[in-house]
C-alpha cells in the first residue's frame, strides 16, 4: 500500500514521458555518423537508445551498433548475427576481429 502511495505522490518526478534528452542524444549521434559506420556503445542507455531508433523507428539501419560489454553473452551475439547478416556465422566474436571484418566488407 505504501508503495502505491509513494508512486502516486511522486509521479510527476518519475514520469519521463516528456523528457527528450535521450531522443536528442540519439538523433545527434545518428545524424553525425557516416553511412555504414560502426558505433561502439559502452552504456545501456546509449545502446538501447540507438537500438530503438533502428529497430522501432527503422532509421539508420545501415549502421552497426555494438556494445562490447554485451559481446560475451551468447544471446547478444545471436541477436547481432540476425540483425547484421554480413557478420555471418562467426567463429570469433573478438571486438578487434569484428571491427576488421566490418571495415574489410566496406561497413
Amino acid at each position: 500500500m505504501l508503495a502505491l502511495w509513494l508512486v502516486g505522490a511522486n509521479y510527476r518526478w518519475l514520469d519521463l514521458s516528456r523528457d527528450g534528452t535521450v531522443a536528442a542524444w540519439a538523433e545527434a549521434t545518428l545524424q553525425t555518423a557516416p553511412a555504414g559506420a560502426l558505433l561502439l556503445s559502452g552504456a545501456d542507455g546509449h545502446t538501447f537508445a540507438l537500438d530503438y531508433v533502428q529497430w522501432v523507428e527503422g532509421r539508420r539501419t545501415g549502421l552497426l551498433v555494438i556494445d562490447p560489454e554485451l559481446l560475451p553473452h551468447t544471446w547478444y551475439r545471436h541477436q547481432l548475427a540476425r540483425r547484421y547478416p554480413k557478420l555471418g556465422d562467426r567463429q570469433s566474436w573478438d571486438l578487434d576481429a569484428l571491427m576488421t571484418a566490418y571495415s574489410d566488407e566496406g561497413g
Side-chain angles (χ1 to χ4, degrees):
M1 203 61 157
L2 176 62
L4 288 175
W5 180 84
L6 288 171
V7 170
N10 295 296
Y11 183 76
R12 68 181 179 138
W13 300 108
L14 300 173
D15 178 17
L16 299 177
S17 64
R18 291 182 179 84
D19 184 350
T21 307
V22 173
W25 175 85
E27 187 67 32
T29 300
L30 293 174
Q31 290 304 316
T32 58
L38 167 65
L39 302 176
L40 299 177
S41 174
D44 286 350
H46 295 156
T47 301
F48 298 128
L50 296 170
D51 285 348
Y52 181 87
V53 171
Q54 287 187 309
W55 299 355
V56 176
E57 296 180 359
R59 297 188 299 125
R60 298 303 308 266
T61 57
L63 301 175
L64 173 57
V65 177
I66 293 180
D67 186 333
E69 293 179 12
L70 295 177
L71 277 176
H73 302 285
T74 304
W75 65 266
Y76 185 68
R77 294 191 305 265
H78 288 298
Q79 183 183 77
L80 287 175
R82 273 194 315 275
R83 288 186 63 209
Y84 306 106
K86 67 178 157 183
L87 291 178
D89 198 14
R90 308 197 61 75
Q91 295 296 325
S92 171
W93 284 91
D94 173 68
L95 183 59
D96 290 332
L98 275 176
M99 291 171 57
T100 300
Y102 191 71
S103 65
D104 288 348
E105 293 177 16

